[in-house]
């Protein structure tokens, strides 16, 4: 319907909204630099500043039993230092390339926060099995270790396997950003378990169950 002169106008009006013919997307983000970070360092700087609030020298945030704690970033074991002095198979300096050679079940080193640990004797006792450890053998396991281990493991277990610092260890820009964000989330308590949520959820399901039990006999009667 309509005159021929109306039709072009209607087509022009409908084409004015691109949503009628294609999906609308927001404008592209700012140019991204190495590691997925914006070329501007402001976001990473803000995250780092927020996560470092209240931390002393050498301290970081870690999680344990659903709570965030300020703890030392690394610990020293006197027994490990004594063991290092007795070992003759360790290189004078541990490099990333040297650590990468020790990636087998019977010869396994991992790197956590720039420190190297010989965990060969622990492989068979690992609660998660030997395979995850071998997958990270000779590599930087810092982030994977943080994801699955509470703060007490850093203090009570990991130090006894220490064999030296990795002299050429460097964090990538991506790792720096990722770790800064994790620290910020820990500092803000975002990893903490709030039991009140589960209490409310349990009460809600109990009420539903009680209501179902009450209504069912009344309905059948």
């Amino acid at each position: 319907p309509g005159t021929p002169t109306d039709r072009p106008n209607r087509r022009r009006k409908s084409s004015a909204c691109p949503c009628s013919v294609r999906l609308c997307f927001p404008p592209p983000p700012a140019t991204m630099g190495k590691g997925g970070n914006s070329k501007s360092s402001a976001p990473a700087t803000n995250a780092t500043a927020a996560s470092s609030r209240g931390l002393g020298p050498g301290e970081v945030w870690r999680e344990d039993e659903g709570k965030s704690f300020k703890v030392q970033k690394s610990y020293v074991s006197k027994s490990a230092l004594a063991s290092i002095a007795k070992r003759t198979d360790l290189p004078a300096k541990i490099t990333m390339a040297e650590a990468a050679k020790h990636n087998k079940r019977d010869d396994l080193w991992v790197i956590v926060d720039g420190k190297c640990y010989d965990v060969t004797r622990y492989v068979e006792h690992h609660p998660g099995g030997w395979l995850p450890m071998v997958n990270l053998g000779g590599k930087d396991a810092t982030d994977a270790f943080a994801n699955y281990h509470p703060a007490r493991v850093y203090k009570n277990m990991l130090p006894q396997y220490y064999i030296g610092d990795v002299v050429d260890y460097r964090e990538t820009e991506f790792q720096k950003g990722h770790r800064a964000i994790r620290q910020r989330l820990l500092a803000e308590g975002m990893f903490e378990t709030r039991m009140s949520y589960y209490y409310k959820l349990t009460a809600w399901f109990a009420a539903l169950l009680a209501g179902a039990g009450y209504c069912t006999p009344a309905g059948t009667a």
Side-chain angles (χ1 to χ4, degrees):
T3 64
T5 55
D6 291 334
R7 291 169 189 164
N9 290 336
R10 279 192 294 185
R11 282 198 294 270
R12 282 196 294 271
K13 288 178 182 178
S14 64
S15 63
C17 177
C19 298
S20 61
V21 293
R22 65 178 185 273
L23 294 175
C24 290
F25 294 98
T31 304
M32 305 302 284
K34 181 180 179 182
N37 294 323
S38 170
K39 287 186 176 180
S40 170
S41 60
T45 302
N46 292 340
T48 304
S51 66
S52 62
R53 273 184 233 142
L55 293 177
E59 287 186 330
V60 294
W61 289 98
R62 298 210 192 277
E63 178 274 336
D64 203 320
E65 295 185 349
K67 297 290 183 182
S68 295
F69 296 96
K70 289 187 291 185
V71 297
Q72 287 180 228
K73 187 173 185 178
S74 58
Y75 296 85
V76 177
S77 167
K78 293 182 179 179
S79 62
L81 295 178
S83 176
I84 292 171
K86 295 177 183 178
R87 291 183 61 167
T88 58
D89 60 324
L90 295 177
K93 294 182 179 180
I94 300 176
T95 62
M96 294 292 291
E98 177 62 33
K101 299 175 184 177
H102 303 268
N103 59 357
K104 300 178 179 62
R105 190 172 178 176
D106 58 351
D107 179 21
L108 193 64
W109 295 5
V110 294
I111 299 167
V112 178
D113 291 322
K115 299 183 180 298
C116 193
Y117 300 88
D118 182 353
V119 293
T120 306
R121 55 194 170 97
Y122 183 68
V123 172
E124 304 302 330
H125 305 285
H126 185 234
W130 60 268
L131 189 57
M133 296 187 69
V134 173
N135 284 341
L136 291 169
K139 302 173 185 175
D140 182 5
T142 301
D143 300 306
F145 198 89
N147 287 340
Y148 295 102
H149 298 87
R152 61 183 178 273
V153 175
Y154 286 86
K155 181 179 181 180
N156 301 328
M157 183 174 291
L158 192 61
Q160 61 186 296
Y161 302 103
Y162 173 76
I163 56 173
D165 290 358
V166 181
V167 295
D168 59 347
Y169 178 79
R170 299 289 183 274
E171 289 181 314
T172 65
E173 291 302 313
F174 175 82
Q175 288 173 326
K176 289 177 182 178
H178 170 78
R179 292 168 188 177
I181 292 171
R182 180 182 176 84
Q183 284 293 296
R184 180 174 182 176
L185 293 175
L186 284 167
E188 295 179 357
M190 300 301 290
F191 284 92
E192 294 189 1
T193 303
R194 286 174 172 75
M195 297 307 297
S196 59
Y197 168 79
Y198 295 99
Y199 297 150
K200 292 176 182 177
L201 193 63
T202 301
W204 169 247
F205 282 120
L208 287 178
L209 182 62
Y214 176 80
C215 294
T216 301
T220 55

